[in-house]
Amino acid sequence: MNKDYNIGVFDSGLGGITVLKEISRLLPNENIIYFGDTKNVPYGEKTKEEIQALCERIVRFLFTNGCKLIVIACNTASIAAYEYLHKISPIPIVGIINSAVDSIPYNTYKEIGIIGTPFTVNSGEYPRKIKEKDENLKIYSVGCEKLCPMIEKGWENFSDRRVILADYITRIPKSAEALLLACTHYPLILNDIKDIFEGDILDPGEECAREVFRTLKANNLFNPKNEKGKIEFYVSGDKEIFQKKAQEFLGYEITRLFKVNI
Ligand code: DGL
């Protein structure tokens, strides 16, 4: 495997850029290919089989475009397809769900809230994995079906966005000391979340980047080149909306953005 190959990062849409930001911060000389499946977003309302089929195509695309490692930067896809992709992928795969579970500082909180897509919450995966680490931690999970589609369309365009967000977050009892963002889209609206939730906010992006670091190290795959890595973006849907939102969040101009039919 060529060490200057890319790290492939994918999500149903925009959300995975919150993970990409952490990866490129920790591993600045790695080349990265980002794929946002903006034609098929949201994944959170699809079945496991539908999500697996979409993810399989993305993994093939990333692999054939010179990736040495793949990051599922989408909680929903990670829950639906990690095991499946792990079996078929010729290269290592990192799924955000494991990083998210590891990002919780155990023995710190008695009660936490989790917000994610309906698929993520209905799967029960988070409480199951978290209970393996701390069976006494009380967990309140809320599926937020409207948030990912609103963020994709442009959060600021919705005048009722704070009411909708508050309606979800206030379903979590006030006794919850921390809130886990179990959807990679949510760090894009972090300021609004912080205005409503008073406790700690747990964003798994940084831990996911550390997991990528560890996986590259374990597989002896660090890019030896001592120069800033290139980042390329691919989307399956509209380029303009993605570009505007991604530039705002990442803080730099995106020049290498391509629309592809995979
Ligand atoms: N960013 C995805 C996640 O972390 C959103 C899924 C969706 O498309 O509904 O779950």
Side-chain angles (χ1 to χ4, degrees), residues 11-13 15-16 40-45 73-77 96 117 120 148-149 182-185:
D11 178 46
S12 59
N40 296 302
V41 67
Y43 280 8
E45 293 162 17
C74 173
N75 291 260
T76 309
I96 183 113
T117 66
T120 295
C148 168
C183 171
T184 53
H185 279 73

Side-chain angles (χ1 to χ4, degrees), residues 10-19 34 37 40-46 51 72-79 96 115-120 126 144-145 147-149 152 181-188:
F10 80 89
D11 178 46
S12 59
L14 256 177
I17 63 166
T18 64
V19 181
Y34 182 87
D37 197 5
N40 296 302
V41 67
Y43 280 8
E45 293 162 17
K46 294 183 169 44
I51 300 168
I72 313 176
C74 173
N75 291 260
T76 309
S78 212
I79 289 168
I96 183 113
I115 51 173
T117 66
F119 185 95
T120 295
Y126 269 107
C144 311
E145 65 276 16
L147 298 187
C148 168
E152 284 289 329
L181 307 183
C183 171
T184 53
H185 279 73
Y186 302 164
L188 292 161

